[in-house]
Amino acid sequence: MRIVLGTYQFGSVGGSETYAITIAEQFLRLGHDITIYVKSPGMMAEVAREREIRIATDLELPKPDVVLSQDGVVAYEMSAKWPEVPHAFICHSPLFELQTPPAVPGVVGAVVVMSERFENRLRALATKHRIVRFRQPIDVDRLAPRGAARKQPRKALLLGNYLQGDPKRLLMEAWGGAGLEFTQIGNPSGTNSVDIVQAIAEADIVVGKARAVLDAMSCGRPAYVYDVFGTDGWVTPQVYDAMEADAFAGLALSRPFDPAQLVTDLGAYDPLMGLANRKLVMMHHHARIHAQQMIDLCSDLAKPTASRTTPKLELSRLVESNWRSESKLLSARIAFGPVAERAKRAEDEVSRLRDRNERYRHVIEQLATELKIATAGEERNEFRRRLAAKVEQELQVDQGKLSESIMEKPGERIRMSQIKRRVVAAKIKRLIRRQYRRLIG
């Protein structure tokens, strides 16, 4: 099937731009011919070309079987160019008139929405459309986990184009007190990145809304729905349905911006939420599922149109697909060389550190043994000092008794010659010998 997907802007990273590239890649894998028509190309157009997706800046194209559009400008333009071609409109936001489906009857045959909130808005329009409800597609192969989140969170990634002002300040003050480090990617920070997987992998928590939340979930990270528009907190299987129906906009649970609640939520952090999030994305947001649903819709809209696929076109597609795979493999091999060298150096360093740690372990064991011996000797010396003090105390007691024994009556002194000195001396010697034996025993 020949498909043209039209979008007005294709510059900075955003939800509709990412969606277009994601679904176009899936169409190619299914063997369909896809061209993205762009009125205002930019960085995302270059990303699409790098992924072998055809980009056109005018409508001098072969007549397609189906037209897809993401905004009113290109929807009307392509309808004027190919009025008889079936047309589906993909609604990414009810906030902007640009992304509202055409109000002129007959321009589009169906409108695709990816949340119940959008669907409810469109059903209130004066122009009635055929509305089809799908879920946001995520490239689960590219957005895959790279390691696990830490048991205790240390880094938070603010991902998206809107979080700024008081909501951002409240979050950073509430969580910064717990020692979290913050990184922001998106328009408010002046940083825009197509490859966000590494940034997500370095974070323990990803804060955002809409597709940013799903990207984090696909990468196996705890995701916190929080933005200038509202806050719903952690994504969990228990609240997923409500959040998904609300397009992860932070308006599903009616929670206020409360610093105390932010602190409480941080205390509920659990790295295992990342595993649950990955499973939710695999079950409900796999890009392959969405692409299959879109092709079914396109086929339904273009019922009278015969397939344009021929054996030669299919062979051409297979050769092109194989070339893309070989190019990626070659690039990976080239990139792997330095990585392998760094890995080898890391292994050598680990081996060196292991040997050094083993030497340190032996030294510590030896020192511990010497300390034990020294401690035992010190204990024996202390015991001897205590015994010596006791001997001295008992001798003083005996001497006191001896002094008392020479006084039979108050005021009457008995001569020492009258006492059997040898008996007293023998008693003292026996005491000394007994205490000495205890001392050296």
Side-chain angles (χ1 to χ4, degrees):
M1 185 178 295
R2 183 175 295 158
I3 304 169
V4 174
L5 191 161
T7 187
Y8 181 67
Q9 293 181 329
F10 221 47
S12 60
V13 181
S16 61
E17 292 84 356
T18 305
Y19 171 90
I21 290 179
T22 300
I23 200 65
E25 284 190 298
Q26 294 299 322
F27 286 163
L28 288 174
R29 293 178 184 178
L30 290 172
H32 299 283
D33 184 292
I34 174 70
T35 300
I36 298 180
Y37 166 58
V38 182
K39 290 283 290 184
S40 179
M43 179 176 66
M44 292 299 284
E46 294 304 316
V47 173
R49 291 190 180 100
E50 289 174 2
R51 299 185 187 180
E52 306 298 330
I53 299 171
R54 188 186 304 117
I55 298 293
T57 55
D58 58 55
L59 291 180
E60 298 303 318
L61 299 168
K63 181 180 176 181
D65 298 316
V66 176
V67 165
L68 305 176
S69 59
Q70 297 193 143
D71 57 75
V73 175
V74 296
Y76 285 121
E77 186 177 3
M78 292 193 297
S79 179
K81 174 70 174 179
W82 301 300
E84 72 284 2
V85 174
H87 191 153
F89 186 92
I90 304 165
C91 181
H92 290 286
S93 172
L95 298 177
F96 307 107
E97 291 296 328
L98 175 71
Q99 294 180 309
T100 301
V104 176
V107 173
V108 298
V111 177
V112 175
V113 296
M114 286 167 278
S115 75
E116 291 176 14
R117 185 160 60 87
F118 292 5
E119 180 179 358
N120 293 336
R121 171 70 176 176
L122 297 186
R123 291 197 184 282
L125 294 177
T127 303
K128 300 304 178 182
H129 300 92
R130 174 188 173 186
I131 299 176
V132 183
R133 165 78 154 95
F134 295 151
R135 301 198 186 203
Q136 280 282 1
I138 299 297
D139 186 344
V140 298
D141 297 323
R142 185 171 281 110
L143 292 163
R146 294 184 182 179
R150 299 175 181 88
K151 292 183 179 180
Q152 294 297 326
R154 285 172 40 196
K155 296 184 178 182
L157 173 64
L158 312 182
L159 183 61
N161 293 327
Y162 300 100
L163 183 56
Q164 55 187 322
D166 287 340
K168 176 182 175 181
R169 177 183 56 80
L170 286 174
L171 179 72
M172 296 186 71
E173 288 178 355
W175 287 5
L180 254 68
E181 302 174 17
F182 293 90
T183 302
Q184 186 168 21
I185 295 178
N187 290 339
S189 65
T191 60
N192 236 316
S193 175
V194 176
D195 187 7
I196 58 173
V197 179
Q198 184 57 37
I200 294 176
E202 293 172 358
D204 303 304
I205 300 170
V206 178
V207 180
K209 62 168 290 189
R211 283 186 65 92
V213 170
L214 288 167
D215 289 347
M217 293 170 63
S218 184
C219 290
R221 284 295 178 268
Y224 195 83
V225 179
Y226 184 93
D227 202 75
V228 295
F229 303 106
T231 172
D232 283 337
W234 298 114
V235 180
T236 65
Q238 291 73 28
V239 296
Y240 161 79
D241 287 334
M243 288 186 175
E244 191 276 334
D246 185 57
F248 298 96
L251 303 173
L253 305 182
S254 301
R255 292 176 31 156
F257 288 99
D258 182 3
Q261 185 63 52
L262 289 171
V263 174
T264 301
D265 287 348
L266 182 61
Y269 165 87
D270 186 345
L272 293 180
M273 288 190 287
L275 294 177
N277 287 342
R278 173 69 177 181
K279 183 177 180 180
L280 287 171
V281 170
M282 294 294 290
M283 289 174 59
H284 303 296
H285 297 276
H286 202 304
R288 288 203 298 263
I289 298 174
H290 184 91
Q292 291 161 194
Q293 293 171 331
M294 287 295 296
I295 291 300
D296 287 343
L297 175 62
C298 291
S299 299
D300 183 57
L301 293 173
K303 285 179 180 177
T305 306
S307 173
R308 295 179 181 272
T309 302
T310 66
K312 292 182 179 179
L313 286 175
E314 176 61 14
L315 287 173
S316 174
R317 186 192 70 82
L318 290 175
V319 171
E320 183 179 3
S321 175
N322 184 65
W323 164 241
R324 288 198 299 268
S325 300
E326 289 181 349
S327 298
K328 291 178 182 178
L329 179 60
L330 180 60
S331 299
R333 285 175 175 171
I334 293 173
F336 180 74
V339 173
E341 182 62 28
R342 289 196 298 272
K344 180 63 169 60
R345 290 198 298 268
E347 289 178 357
D348 294 341
E349 179 67 10
V350 168
S351 178
R352 185 183 68 82
L353 291 175
R354 187 180 291 113
D355 292 341
R356 187 175 68 178
N357 289 341
E358 185 67 18
R359 293 197 300 271
Y360 285 165
R361 188 179 65 81
H362 288 310
V363 170
I364 291 172
E365 290 177 352
Q366 183 177 357
L367 291 174
T369 302
E370 294 176 359
L371 179 62
K372 185 176 181 181
I373 294 173
T375 302
E378 182 64 27
E379 290 176 352
R380 285 196 296 271
N381 291 337
E382 179 63 23
F383 177 69
R384 290 170 179 171
R385 283 195 293 270
R386 289 197 301 269
L387 283 179
K390 189 172 183 180
V391 168
E392 182 180 3
Q393 181 181 3
E394 293 183 7
L395 286 174
Q396 290 176 353
V397 170
D398 285 338
Q399 288 175 357
K401 290 180 179 178
L402 181 60
S403 298
E404 292 175 359
S405 68
I406 64 176
M407 299 292 295
E408 291 185 352
K409 294 180 181 180
E412 183 180 353
R413 189 171 185 80
I414 300 177
R415 294 180 178 276
M416 192 65 180
S417 59
Q418 296 175 337
I419 303 173
K420 296 181 180 180
R421 295 179 179 177
R422 284 181 295 179
V423 175
V424 174
K427 182 178 178 181
I428 293 175
K429 289 179 180 179
R430 285 196 303 272
L431 176 63
I432 292 175
R433 282 196 295 269
R434 184 173 70 248
Q435 297 295 347
Y436 179 73
R437 282 195 298 270
R438 291 174 60 190
L439 184 64
I440 65 176

